[in-house]
Amino acid sequence: MKTFKMQCKYEIIRVLRNRYFVFWSLVMPILFYYIFTNVVNTNAPDKAEWQAHYLMSMTVFSVMGSSMMTLGIRMVQERSQGWATFIRITPLSDTVYFAAQMIGQSVIHMLSITIIFIAGALINGVSLTALEWIMSGLWILLGSLPFLAIGTLIGLMKKVETAAGVSNVIYMVLAIAGGLWMPLEIMPKIMQSIGKWLPSYNFGNGAWEIIRGNMPDWRNILILIAYLAVFMLLSKYIRRKQEAV
Amino acid sequence: MNKIVSLTNVTKSFQHKTAVNDVSFTIGKGEVVAILGPNGAGKTTTISMILGLLKPSAGEIKLFNHQPHEKQVREKIGTMLQEVSVMPGLKVREILELISSYYPNPLGIQQLIELTGLTNQDLKTRAEKLSGGQKRRLSFALALAGNPELIIFDEPTVGMDITSRNRFWQTVHQMAAQGKTIIFSTHYLQEADDAAGRILLFKDGAVVADGTPAQIKSRISKQSVSFFVDPEMSLEKLYLHSEIDDIYRKNNRVYIQSSNTDRVLELIFQEKIGARDIQIERGKLEEAFEQLTSGAKEAI
Ligand SMILES: Nc1ncnc2c1ncn2[C@@H]1O[C@H](COP(=O)(O)OP(=O)(O)OP(=O)(O)O)[C@@H](O)[C@H]1O
Ligand SMILES: [Mg+2]
């Protein structure tokens, strides 16, 4: 138990000390949020709704990024620098290690969600009901699972540079094509029909529905679960192949 | 004997290469054993198998009578790998605290500082910012963090300066005195001789010699007794003794090669050959070692 707590604590400290994390997961989303709700005139018919909508977009954007990049790149780093090998010789069990990483990530995500929500409330006075705040926060926390699975996939790469490059591209493509930067509705028809199948859109849409007083669509939930299953199986399969020495 | 490590007919083959070939040995409690051999001899592969990082292709490895990967075994071993690694993003003190928490009876940070020569300044530094030698020191501290009964080092002194090296061996001796079992690999006979009570000499994936440093040395370096003697004097009689390997003359001196120089002296006086200016010489050890480990196998 002491081991587990220590492990969680240091996982969190490591993430917070990571400059990429602070930049991509906190600074960028808040900056974007400010720009697209205050500087650029988006001609939104319902200004308050747009401000809440975009706050969800940016929180989803942030959590999606740290799920894929922080976890994935760190896994590659630990492996390429031999740390993963050293850990295998210690009595730390794989379960504790994995659980601590997941808990650590979740705490980090809760922190990002809280900070960005507070930023929204301060910058634009976004006001939601307590239930909406909590539900959207929970949705974003749970909905990050498929992206953590993508993170473990990225974590299987050999070099940190490749992992960073690839995850950045995936991140941006998913964010833009999933309607996190601009709503899908203003994109060409074909982009819209592709976008609806992406995990990022379904992740975002759940939160967008919640702030409009609805429940996330069943379709969103099912698609995210399907992605989670596929990525987990894929990651397991690749790991099995890599281990066969 | 209290067996700590035992290898039985262990072989490890990679796709195109047999790195370790049918190796068997056991190591008892409190032994300090050097795995000595040139590059590519199979030292790291053997150590990786002992640590449970690699699976033998054939044969069996037991540590404390259990499989190497069992938790109760892991709690009793500490190790420093050939490739030093550190956890990025954490300070040295934090890493030590974290790793210590994995073990049931860890040593305290203070003790680790005393044993490894880490400084207070090092403790506050982030691991990725340490110099190569400082990383080695951290790695050494991590090996000792769990107060292990069995300590395994793969080429521990590479990249250490003289001070760190001395400190390192001093601590190893201290650990040995506490009854810990220690296994380390090295390229240098000198290092093995100084620190170990037993040497396993590896070559081409096999153990070609196993014994105390003195035994190994007498085996690989020919000792000889040399002296001046009247050229008329016949040395025929000496040839009759089986302890003597070879007799030759060089610069007017007679050289008698034997692994038992005491016996040779005895014979010289016994046979009354009138030897003067007697000297006992030891062949150049490093040379002989190099020849043994790089030349053909028949050299032994
Ligand atoms: N993963 C691997 N795949 C293929 N061959 C390997 C692998 N690991 C080691 N070998 C080969 O096995 C042999 C023994 O390697 P090993 O690393 O055990 O040597 P070593 O005695 O530790 O050498 P050094 O002193 O250079 O560290 C070498 O010829 C090496 O090329
Ligand atoms: Mg080696």
Side-chain angles (χ1 to χ4, degrees):
Chain A
M1 200 58 214
K2 185 170 148 257
T3 307
F4 183 64
K5 269 201 229 148
M6 276 278 202
Q7 191 72 26
C8 291
K9 175 177 146 196
Y10 284 123
E11 293 295 342
I12 295 166
I13 290 183
R14 284 177 67 196
V15 177
L16 292 179
R17 284 195 187 144
N18 181 341
R19 273 171 298 144
Y20 291 102
F21 165 77
V22 176
F23 183 75
W24 282 105
S25 304
L26 298 176
V27 178
M28 282 284 283
I30 293 174
L31 199 68
F32 270 31
Y33 181 67
Y34 179 76
I35 294 174
F36 282 96
T37 54
N38 286 289
V39 183
V40 180
N41 186 0
T42 46
N43 292 321
D46 182 342
K47 195 145 193 255
E49 191 186 270
W50 166 247
Q51 286 172 347
H53 175 100
Y54 205 64
L55 185 64
M56 292 304 131
S57 304
M58 283 302 108
T59 317
V60 164
F61 175 64
S62 156
V63 170
M64 187 172 98
S66 62
S67 300
M68 298 193 321
M69 316 243 294
T70 317
L71 183 65
I73 293 175
R74 209 183 45 198
M75 280 171 68
V76 181
Q77 237 177 11
E78 290 192 357
R79 204 152 21 83
S80 64
Q81 300 186 358
W83 185 255
T85 313
F86 178 77
I87 289 292
R88 274 175 63 200
I89 302 167
T90 68
L92 181 69
S93 77
D94 291 348
T95 327
V96 171
Y97 183 60
F98 184 74
Q101 267 194 335
M102 289 302 136
I103 303 261
Q105 281 287 335
S106 304
V107 172
I108 290 291
H109 290 167
M110 279 190 252
L111 190 78
S112 306
I113 293 169
T114 313
I115 291 179
I116 298 174
F117 278 6
I118 290 175
L122 292 179
I123 295 173
N124 288 322
V126 172
S127 84
L128 301 174
T129 66
L131 188 69
E132 282 169 347
W133 282 125
I134 292 171
M135 285 299 288
S136 55
L138 272 181
W139 168 262
I140 294 171
L141 199 59
L142 290 176
S144 67
L145 283 175
F147 301 93
L148 285 170
I150 297 181
T152 62
L153 270 176
I154 289 166
L156 294 174
M157 294 180 182
K158 294 246 149 45
K159 284 164 83 178
V160 174
E161 293 77 25
T162 341
V166 170
S167 58
N168 247 310
V169 171
I170 299 179
Y171 183 28
M172 288 307 141
V173 168
L174 281 181
I176 296 169
L180 299 183
W181 282 13
M182 291 160 281
L184 272 192
E185 291 75 50
I186 63 167
M187 292 191 200
K189 254 267 133 0
I190 179 150
M191 290 289 286
Q192 289 192 31
S193 28
I194 297 174
K196 294 232 156 88
W197 287 98
L198 291 177
S200 45
Y201 170 79
N202 289 282
F203 189 16
N205 198 52
W208 297 325
E209 292 293 336
I210 290 172
I211 54 121
R212 287 176 173 82
N214 308 325
M215 283 313 264
D217 204 13
W218 270 111
R219 219 179 97 101
N220 298 147
I221 297 175
L222 288 179
I223 289 180
L224 286 177
I225 291 178
Y227 271 113
L228 175 64
V230 169
F231 293 141
M232 273 172 55
L233 286 176
L234 201 60
S235 147
K236 207 165 181 172
Y237 172 76
I238 297 176
R239 189 161 320 170
R240 179 104 13 112
K241 280 198 91 170
Q242 284 181 346
E243 269 172 11
V245 177
Chain B
M1 188 171 76
N2 206 341
K3 271 190 249 171
I4 302 288
V5 178
S6 80
L7 277 75
T8 322
N9 305 110
V10 171
T11 295
K12 178 71 193 180
S13 310
F14 296 108
Q15 279 98 340
H16 305 290
K17 165 113 199 156
T18 300
V20 174
N21 193 2
D22 196 21
V23 165
S24 302
F25 59 82
T26 60
I27 294 175
K29 184 165 165 37
E31 279 194 85
V32 179
V33 180
I35 295 184
L36 176 64
N39 286 133
K43 304 183 295 294
T44 298
T45 309
T46 304
I47 286 176
S48 303
M49 287 191 288
I50 294 176
L51 292 172
L53 293 171
L54 283 177
K55 255 178 88 154
S57 314
E60 192 187 50
I61 298 184
K62 288 276 177 81
L63 269 64
F64 302 97
N65 274 321
H66 290 276
Q67 299 293 323
H69 60 260
E70 288 179 42
K71 187 168 185 222
Q72 50 172 322
V73 171
R74 299 229 180 280
E75 284 175 349
K76 287 188 255 188
I77 61 180
T79 189
M80 204 168 145
L81 299 170
Q82 184 167 9
E83 309 282 335
V84 209
S85 60
V86 293
M87 190 189 225
L90 290 184
K91 294 176 186 161
V92 170
R93 173 188 289 280
E94 294 167 337
I95 298 185
L96 290 174
E97 261 169 21
L98 177 62
I99 300 298
S100 294
S101 80
Y102 299 169
Y103 295 88
N105 303 305
L107 292 178
I109 302 269
Q110 199 49 44
Q111 246 174 311
L112 291 176
I113 292 181
E114 281 159 22
L115 290 171
T116 60
L118 277 168
T119 62
N120 275 312
Q121 190 54 46
D122 293 340
L123 287 184
K124 290 185 217 132
T125 312
R126 291 237 197 129
E128 65 267 29
K129 297 199 177 121
L130 296 173
S131 74
Q134 289 167 331
K135 278 186 188 159
R136 279 256 160 210
R137 249 180 272 162
L138 168 58
S139 177
F140 184 28
L142 289 175
L144 302 181
N147 195 14
E149 288 175 37
L150 168 64
I151 317 177
I152 302 179
F153 303 111
D154 196 0
E155 284 174 41
T157 54
V158 173
M160 283 188 187
D161 63 17
I162 300 279
T163 325
S164 323
R165 205 173 278 230
N166 291 341
R167 176 59 151 271
F168 174 81
W169 288 120
Q170 196 186 324
T171 300
V172 168
H173 285 305
Q174 204 175 322
M175 294 283 146
Q178 290 172 16
K180 313 248 183 220
T181 309
I182 298 163
I183 303 174
F184 68 93
S185 76
T186 177
H187 294 142
Y188 306 110
L189 180 61
Q190 185 64 51
E191 206 166 63
D193 185 16
D194 289 346
R198 175 179 167 198
I199 295 177
L200 293 170
L201 187 59
F202 268 68
K203 197 195 160 206
D204 297 333
V207 177
V208 293
D210 175 356
T212 63
Q215 284 168 343
I216 300 278
K217 283 192 299 190
S218 73
R219 208 167 149 183
I220 64 176
S221 85
K222 292 248 165 27
Q223 299 179 86
S224 59
V225 176
S226 74
F227 47 82
F228 285 116
V229 73
D230 181 356
E232 309 286 278
M233 186 72 194
S234 159
L235 300 174
E236 290 286 300
K237 289 175 275 184
L238 290 178
Y239 278 107
L240 300 174
H241 296 279
S242 59
E243 294 93 338
I244 292 177
D245 299 333
D246 196 12
I247 303 180
Y248 57 90
R249 286 173 196 269
K250 200 164 89 187
N251 304 332
N252 292 327
R253 285 183 82 84
V254 173
Y255 288 80
I256 299 182
Q257 272 190 349
S258 167
S259 54
N260 188 349
T261 46
D262 297 345
R263 179 77 184 127
V264 174
L265 288 177
E266 214 176 297
L267 289 173
I268 290 171
F269 294 115
Q270 201 178 303
E271 303 290 352
K272 299 201 173 58
I273 53 177
R276 285 172 286 126
D277 187 19
I278 302 172
Q279 288 178 5
I280 297 177
E281 327 204 4
R282 188 170 282 263
K284 284 254 167 59
L285 206 52
E286 291 295 337
E287 250 167 44
F289 171 61
E290 227 162 79
Q291 201 183 359
L292 172 72
T293 49
S294 62
K297 248 183 190 157
E298 290 75 6
I300 342 163

